[in-house]
Amino acid sequence: MADGVFAKDLGESLERLSNQPVAYRTLLQNAGAFGRLPSSLRVELLELVTGDPTPDRIRVWLDLPERLAVALDVRVVVALDEFQELASLTSARKGLDTFSVTRSVWQKHRRTAYFISGSARTMLLRLV
């Protein structure tokens, strides 16, 4: 998602650097659009590649496309393949129903569209 938003400024993939936090942060801070973001959003993007997926962080991550779209006055399209992989977060995180959280965050989005696919039809139906 961040790659798509900042691609024209960077010429290099943020995702490729996701396992190198220092290089990732350096590249991200060089994107012209990054400086126009609210400070709280800049912090979230800088910390995106570190830390564990806690329930609070997962909610923040799910909301990032919309927050970026609003801050930069753009529209964002997110395509997710093998969506059923989110189920592993539910079983791994006690007390977090990933699909319910995803649904509750996404239904508030107005500038972000989602295309989801996967081989587990029942999980896709559970989401929608």
Side-chain angles (χ1 to χ4, degrees), residues 21 63 77-78 88 111:
D63 206 31
V77 176
V78 176
S88 65
R111 299 181 68 88

Side-chain angles (χ1 to χ4, degrees), residues 48-59:
L48 192 60
V49 295
T50 58
D52 293 324
T54 65
D56 287 338
R57 288 200 76 194
I58 290 169
R59 284 181 184 87

Side-chain angles (χ1 to χ4, degrees), residues 40-54:
S40 62
L41 186 50
R42 287 194 310 260
V43 168
E44 290 299 337
L45 287 168
L46 290 170
E47 297 302 317
L48 192 60
V49 295
T50 58
D52 293 324
T54 65

Side-chain angles (χ1 to χ4, degrees), residues 17-31:
L17 297 174
S18 64
N19 62 348
Q20 302 170 45
V22 173
Y24 164 88
R25 288 183 187 113
T26 301
L27 181 64
L28 181 58
Q29 290 175 23
N30 287 329

Side-chain angles (χ1 to χ4, degrees), residues 95-110:
L96 176 70
D97 180 347
T98 308
F99 294 113
S100 293
V101 171
T102 300
R103 192 172 41 251
S104 72
V105 171
W106 284 1
Q107 70 186 1
K108 296 172 188 154
H109 291 179
R110 298 293 174 253

Side-chain angles (χ1 to χ4, degrees), residues 4 6 12 15 23 35 58 62 70-71 75 77 79 89 94 112 116 125:
F6 298 111
E12 189 173 355
E15 182 181 358
I58 290 169
L62 289 169
V70 169
R75 302 272 183 200
V77 176
L89 291 176
K94 206 170 202 165
T112 306
I116 55 176
L125 290 172

